[in-house]
Amino acid sequence: MDDHTAPGGSMRRPDEGTLARIAEALAFTPTAAYSAPHDYPHAANTFEPAPRLARERVDADVYRLYAHVPFCNYACSFCCYAKKVGVEREQMARYVATLKRELEWIPEGTPVNQFFIGGGTPTALPADLLDELLGAIAGRMPYHGDPVHTVEASPESISDAHLAVLQRHGVRRVSMGVQSLDDEVLDSVRRSHGPDLALETCRRIIDAGLILNIDLIYGLPGQTHAGFRRDFQRVADAGVHAVTAYNLRLNERTPVSRALSPGERFDIAGLMGWRAFVRDTAAEFGFSQTRWHTFKRLDTIAARHQWLPTAGADMRGHQFGIGMSARSSLGHNVYRNHHNLETYMARVRDGESPVQEVIRLGPQDLRTQFIARSLGDGQVLSKARYAEVFGNAIEADHGETLARLAAGGLLADTESSVSLTEDGRLLHDLVTLSFYPGPARQRLLQRLDTFQLTDLSDRRPRPALQ
Ligand code: SF4
């Protein structure tokens, strides 16, 4: 087992031999992704135009629900989410009314096993409008099982009135973007809250009896390993139940890239070193790694939450998404609503489908999705299960990729299963991208060419696109 964290938590670089071996194994892998690669096909971003396309009705006993609330109090410079800053209450009220209307697509009484209200910043809505939205969901979709529903929040926007609304509607988990507790780092990414407010808000949410996950980012401008460790210790001391720690992701929509010095941009060694450091820091403060980015205190109420799948064992999706830019996974189609706020609202108001784009999942996409949601999400991939679902061995589809990644020490490929090695875990997203279909990888590589960010390419052979 290779370990790229030196005793005491400081980072040491993998040796040149290790880096050369890994670079060879990842030869055809893009480094640009628009969301986490285990989230295929969204991360591949291969949507086709499909204005007003009607969404397929699927035969599901229970749905997952996503509602997008795009409003924010400020625009963070690393953010590539669909958001609107500076919106007045009147427009927010019309938006909530539109969400309620779109929700009518779901037959009344259809149970929901888990909903996630994301954004944007849902708590940028005044508390009474959030109340109206959650009331509409609960009124139409009875809760199924013992669900842990989530609402996203930001430190400066969530008031005691919001907390009371969440409690009233049985929302048991808040996911709050904190990102850093360093004033200078927060300033550099244009967050308009300070560390004290963030910690005070953590305590209020915990005192209200809710599960609290906070997001931290590593790789921000001016951020140091010591600073990240200090932040982690402070949120642990505040009693936070779970931490989602992301590496900074850059693309053409993230102005933060201009604030990074060349040495701050990730190369393979830097990414592996940071991830080993984050893993060890989380363990030091009593957090267990439950997914690649997620670290939980399993001796707290955080243990009650787990993500429910958006698709069944037959790979058919059953997630409905409402709101501007929201995505629905229904059957073998992924739909995305229009990204313009007024156009989205006008479509729904006029009784039209708000869908603007679609990905129709073909056989190759479903295979990639299977790999992304098993191997790419921290699970062991069962070869027998793969063969059962698709009617052929995984080697028939990905023999060359498996062999290359195994030779590079990133995968353990046995007769019955495929899993990530210790080095593979530190590059889980790049390993997952290696299994993407040729056209999706080609598209990501072209985007990288127009927005060259990392210096991975100087270690790697120029990819011959397939
Ligand atoms: S608060 Fe969240 S959604 Fe809004 S700009 Fe910042 S990161 Fe993006």
Side-chain angles (χ1 to χ4, degrees):
M1 167 179 138
D2 289 329
D3 190 326
H4 305 296
T5 307
S10 66
M11 207 178 73
R12 71 174 167 79
R13 288 176 68 85
D15 62 50
E16 287 303 314
T18 302
L19 288 175
R21 166 172 60 74
I22 290 171
E24 190 71 30
L26 294 174
F28 307 108
T29 305
T31 54
Y34 283 73
S35 57
H38 67 263
D39 195 13
Y40 186 86
H42 307 122
N45 208 5
T46 50
F47 283 95
E48 297 167 12
R52 300 179 181 80
L53 182 67
R55 283 169 281 201
E56 176 186 345
R57 294 201 174 269
V58 294
D59 185 19
D61 298 334
V62 62
Y63 275 78
R64 276 188 102 244
L65 179 74
Y66 174 76
H68 191 74
V69 178
F71 311 119
C72 287
N73 293 332
Y74 40 80
C76 309
S77 63
F78 56 80
C79 177
C80 58
Y81 297 116
K83 61 186 176 295
K84 295 287 281 184
V85 177
V87 171
E88 300 292 330
R89 180 188 164 93
E90 179 275 331
Q91 201 175 22
M92 291 184 181
R94 280 196 293 124
Y95 186 75
V96 168
T98 308
L99 292 177
K100 288 164 63 180
R101 176 118 192 241
E102 192 185 2
L103 189 63
E104 290 171 10
W105 185 91
I106 295 270
E108 191 155 11
T110 304
V112 60
N113 59 3
Q114 194 167 61
F115 67 68
F116 189 97
I117 315 294
T121 310
T123 49
L125 284 175
D128 63 308
L129 291 181
L130 184 63
D131 190 29
E132 198 179 322
L133 172 60
L134 294 175
I137 293 170
R140 191 159 192 94
M141 303 183 76
Y143 296 174
H144 175 83
D146 185 26
V148 176
H149 304 306
T150 298
V151 170
E152 288 190 323
S154 64
E156 81 296 335
S157 65
I158 184 165
S159 65
D160 288 344
H162 287 102
L163 289 173
V165 166
L166 300 184
Q167 289 168 319
R168 184 156 60 248
H169 293 290
V171 172
R172 294 159 72 188
R173 180 172 178 268
V174 170
S175 183
M176 184 165 74
V178 169
Q179 320 310 358
S180 171
L181 292 173
D182 182 308
D183 271 320
E184 283 184 24
V185 173
L186 289 169
D187 279 351
S188 77
V189 294
R190 302 187 207 144
R191 302 274 299 180
S192 63
H193 62 79
D196 294 340
L197 175 65
L199 290 170
E200 171 54 27
T201 307
C202 288
R203 291 189 196 99
R204 278 197 298 119
I205 295 169
I206 293 164
D207 288 349
L210 299 169
I211 301 171
L212 175 60
N213 172 83
I214 64 146
D215 293 346
L216 294 177
I217 296 181
Y218 52 93
L220 292 168
Q223 195 180 32
T224 63
H225 300 114
F228 181 88
R229 183 183 172 282
R230 199 165 46 239
D231 291 352
F232 209 111
Q233 181 165 21
R234 293 179 78 190
V235 298
D237 288 348
V240 165
H241 307 114
V243 174
T244 303
Y246 298 101
N247 59 279
L248 179 63
R249 291 193 196 115
L250 301 174
N251 64 38
E252 69 276 10
R253 287 179 288 161
T254 53
V256 68
S257 57
R258 292 194 289 274
L260 287 170
S261 64
E264 288 179 315
R265 292 182 176 179
F266 290 128
D267 58 8
I268 287 178
L271 197 56
M272 292 176 80
W274 257 112
R275 286 181 174 162
F277 182 77
V278 169
R279 175 199 65 199
D280 294 346
T281 300
E284 179 187 351
F285 295 113
F287 287 70
S288 302
Q289 188 168 17
T290 54
R291 300 173 85 205
W292 299 132
H293 307 290
T294 308
F295 302 87
K296 282 186 186 175
R297 286 276 314 274
L298 291 175
D299 56 346
T300 69
I301 54 175
R304 292 185 201 151
H305 172 255
Q306 60 174 322
W307 292 104
L308 297 184
T310 57
D314 59 357
M315 308 285 296
R316 295 180 68 80
H318 55 254
Q319 169 161 296
F320 189 59
I322 56 174
M324 170 189 127
S325 272
R327 295 177 313 214
S328 301
S329 293
L330 297 168
H332 288 165
N333 294 310
V334 179
Y335 306 88
R336 185 155 67 192
N337 286 354
H338 204 288
H339 63 274
N340 179 279
L341 182 60
E342 287 297 338
T343 306
Y344 159 74
M345 290 200 286
R347 289 245 187 109
V348 176
R349 183 198 61 217
D350 295 343
E352 297 177 341
S353 165
V355 168
Q356 182 65 10
E357 298 171 297
V358 69
I359 300 174
R360 295 181 173 88
L361 296 169
Q364 198 180 8
D365 295 308
L366 293 172
R367 285 163 163 79
T368 307
Q369 198 173 59
F370 183 99
I371 295 168
R373 290 181 180 178
S374 50
L375 202 60
D377 202 22
Q379 316 295 321
V380 173
L381 184 150
S382 159
K383 289 188 173 180
R385 179 77 188 124
Y386 186 98
E388 187 186 331
V389 173
F390 299 113
N392 60 265
I394 188 171
E395 287 83 356
D397 297 323
H398 291 290
E400 188 275 332
T401 306
L402 285 171
R404 183 161 41 80
L405 293 169
L410 298 174
L411 283 186
D413 184 9
T414 71
E415 208 169 300
S416 60
S417 67
V418 184
S419 57
L420 292 171
T421 61
E422 199 64 33
D423 280 345
R425 279 193 246 281
L426 298 176
L427 294 169
H428 53 85
D429 43 1
L430 300 187
V431 172
T432 305
L433 281 166
S434 300
F435 289 96
Y436 273 31
R441 276 184 288 136
Q442 187 163 351
R443 199 166 152 153
L444 289 170
L445 282 163
Q446 281 164 352
R447 288 200 164 166
L448 184 63
D449 272 349
T450 60
F451 189 70
Q452 193 68 39
L453 288 169
T454 68
D455 55 358
L456 295 184
S457 53
D458 65 0
R459 293 186 177 279
R460 292 156 46 160
R462 190 72 199 137
L465 297 178
Q466 298 167 337

